Amino acid sequence: MYDLATFGAWAEFAVRWLHVITAIAWIGSSFYFIALDLGLHRDRNLATGADGEEWQVHGGGFYHIQKYLVAPDQMPSDLVWFKWESYATWLSGFALLALVYYLGAEFYLIDPNIADLAPWQAIGISIASLAFGWLVYNTLCNVFVNANQTVLMVALFFVLVGMAVFYTNVFTGRAALLHLGAFTATIMSANVFMIIIPNQKIVVADLIAGRTPDAKYGKIAKQRSTHNNYLTLPVIFMMLSNHYPLAFGTEYTWLIASLVFLMGVSIRHFFNSMHARKGMPWGAWLVTVILFIAVMGLSTAPLFKADDVEEVRRSDLRFAEAAGFEEVHDIVLGRCSMCHSAEPVWDGLYWAPKGVRLETEAQVAHFARDIYLQAGVSHAMPPANISFIDDDERAAIRKWYQAAVDG
């Protein structure tokens, strides 16, 4: 029989799996088409009137690809649209955000030491910030539509830095980086939903009606697609950051995030230049390495918020006061704290895995759900049962957690 926590964990697993699958599909098609567009041979006078062409080989076959700057003379009947990858990625990502950070707001979203928010307030700020991101970005694009695109990208970078500062002063470090990724991903997906696909539909409608499509729609769509290309790698970093406390658990989290966006630009610059046959700017990798070393330097003294918890928070009281807590606290001290401590005694560990410290009563109460799922319901912790936790101790953890939930 499944309890709520176990069901929630499996639901989170399923949605996360879906999110990763759809993201791979979206990113793969996006990278492919940007590389294809940059690599087209545009120095050939093609009889079809196409803007450029390229021959490719894959899977034992040859492909002859042509791109029309606006549209072909005649509308094909079997046109393939690339949009559902983007929509499914955002929808599954938002569902995962709700499952983990909204339903678990007291655990993952709110840190009273940063901002003592009620769950509904934190969730409201989260949703509003995602909408705010699209409005600001779209306004910048409309203002700078005919300007130097580098100016637009610099303006967008400062918006992202500002949001990094904002999130780190509102949410937990883990939630701050995750939200910065969601903020950027919302812009990217909205580009597809609000601009790229509608513009392409206008062109298709004009062709069907026998009108000559305006080239501006393709120009704008390409601009937004290019932005998505440069934002993709930082978003992936932000989405993976919750596994790495050295990224989210320091006082410089906002600066680390800012440098990651610059790394994304330098990496994509190398590949985009290569695909466009403009040479291989190896200096871009030197810039990337320097930026990454700077990130490493900023993270060498992690200040995990969980470390400072000496008193049990209001949201954790039910676990600290539940029957069996003292026994569980002793179990955790004996089986877990040799690794999950300020100074781990296990060889090869220099800081607590995932930034989780389980030494004080407050810390054990705060990480109750993780202890229950990792060491009570499953045998994920300790790894390979290296501290020899027995079945009776795991049962005690389950009994204590259920007493707190039911109480």
Side-chain angles (χ1 to χ4, degrees):
M1 182 176 179
Y2 275 50
D3 56 70
L4 187 60
T6 306
F7 178 81
W10 275 110
E12 177 187 329
F13 193 151
V15 176
R16 189 182 301 276
W17 192 17
L18 174 64
H19 184 53
V20 170
I21 292 170
T22 54
I24 290 172
W26 183 19
I27 294 169
S29 62
S30 174
F31 279 8
Y32 171 73
F33 279 106
I34 287 292
L36 174 63
D37 186 73
L38 291 171
L40 288 172
H41 291 279
R42 291 184 167 87
D43 55 349
R44 301 170 181 175
N45 187 18
L46 302 176
T48 59
D51 177 56
E53 70 171 355
E54 185 171 64
W55 284 86
Q56 297 182 356
V57 59
H58 179 75
F62 293 86
Y63 298 82
H64 183 206
I65 303 162
Q66 294 184 332
K67 176 187 176 180
Y68 294 82
L69 194 59
V70 179
D73 294 332
Q74 187 174 6
M75 190 67 226
S77 60
D78 54 350
L79 189 64
V80 177
W81 294 79
F82 289 86
K83 56 182 179 177
W84 294 110
E85 299 93 336
S86 169
Y87 302 163
T89 299
W90 190 89
L91 290 171
S92 59
F94 186 79
L96 191 59
L97 181 67
L99 280 172
V100 178
Y101 289 89
Y102 293 173
L103 295 182
E106 294 178 340
F107 297 100
Y108 301 117
L109 188 58
I110 301 169
D111 185 341
N113 294 321
I114 297 176
D116 194 6
L117 301 170
W120 69 267
Q121 292 173 317
I123 295 170
I125 291 172
S126 170
I127 295 173
S129 70
L130 300 183
F132 170 78
W134 167 248
L135 293 175
V136 171
Y137 165 78
N138 194 50
T139 299
L140 286 174
C141 286
N142 291 334
V143 170
F144 293 105
V145 65
N146 294 317
N148 187 316
Q149 292 305 296
T150 301
V151 175
L152 174 57
M153 292 298 287
V154 171
L156 176 58
F157 174 71
F158 281 110
V159 169
L160 293 169
V161 172
M163 289 307 301
V165 174
F166 171 76
Y167 281 135
T168 53
N169 282 279
V170 176
F171 300 140
T172 65
R174 170 178 172 167
L177 283 190
L178 192 285
H179 271 78
L180 191 59
F183 178 92
T184 310
T186 297
I187 290 174
M188 295 170 61
S189 194
N191 269 338
V192 178
F193 182 70
M194 303 289 287
I195 302 296
I196 297 173
I197 294 301
N199 281 13
Q200 289 176 338
K201 287 185 176 180
I202 291 173
V203 171
V204 170
D206 283 342
L207 284 171
I208 293 175
R211 299 185 296 267
T212 301
D214 192 328
K216 72 175 183 179
Y217 295 111
K219 177 183 176 181
I220 294 172
K222 183 178 179 180
Q223 176 203 54
R224 303 301 181 95
S225 182
T226 301
H227 293 171
N228 284 2
N229 178 255
Y230 280 100
L231 292 173
T232 298
L233 296 182
V235 168
I236 295 174
F237 181 98
M238 302 304 170
M239 295 308 179
L240 294 176
S241 66
N242 63 330
H243 298 288
Y244 298 93
L246 286 177
F248 69 72
T250 84
E251 60 183 316
Y252 303 111
T253 298
W254 69 271
L255 185 53
I256 288 174
S258 302
L259 295 180
V260 168
F261 278 105
L262 294 180
M263 283 196 292
V265 171
S266 62
I267 293 171
R268 290 312 306 165
H269 173 67
F270 174 85
F271 285 104
N272 289 344
S273 297
M274 179 181 71
H275 293 144
R277 301 185 183 90
K278 295 181 179 179
M280 296 185 180
W282 295 107
W285 285 111
L286 177 61
V287 171
T288 302
V289 170
I290 292 173
L291 289 171
F292 192 71
I293 291 174
V295 167
M296 292 170 62
L298 291 170
S299 68
T300 52
L303 302 175
F304 300 110
K305 295 302 179 180
D307 302 345
D308 300 325
V309 179
E310 297 299 336
E311 297 181 1
V312 180
R313 297 172 180 171
R314 294 190 303 272
S315 60
D316 301 329
L317 277 176
R318 65 184 183 277
F319 295 107
E321 296 175 349
F325 177 71
E326 291 184 5
E327 180 185 1
V328 169
H329 180 249
D330 290 340
I331 293 171
V332 171
L333 286 181
R335 307 299 190 186
C336 309
S337 63
M338 70 282 292
C339 295
H340 291 282
S341 62
E343 297 180 0
V345 298
W346 200 267
D347 288 343
L349 286 181
Y350 302 100
W351 47 76
K354 306 300 182 186
V356 176
R357 296 186 182 178
L358 301 174
E359 299 172 286
T360 68
E361 292 185 351
Q363 290 167 346
V364 172
H366 183 68
F367 289 103
R369 182 175 181 272
D370 294 301
I371 294 169
Y372 169 68
L373 291 174
Q374 300 288 337
V377 175
S378 73
H379 290 194
M381 291 290 161
N385 201 20
I386 53 178
S387 59
F388 304 105
I389 185 171
D390 60 40
D391 290 341
D392 289 340
E393 290 171 325
R394 295 187 191 276
I397 292 172
R398 295 195 296 270
K399 184 177 180 180
W400 156 69
Y401 183 87
Q402 289 299 333
V405 173
D406 296 339

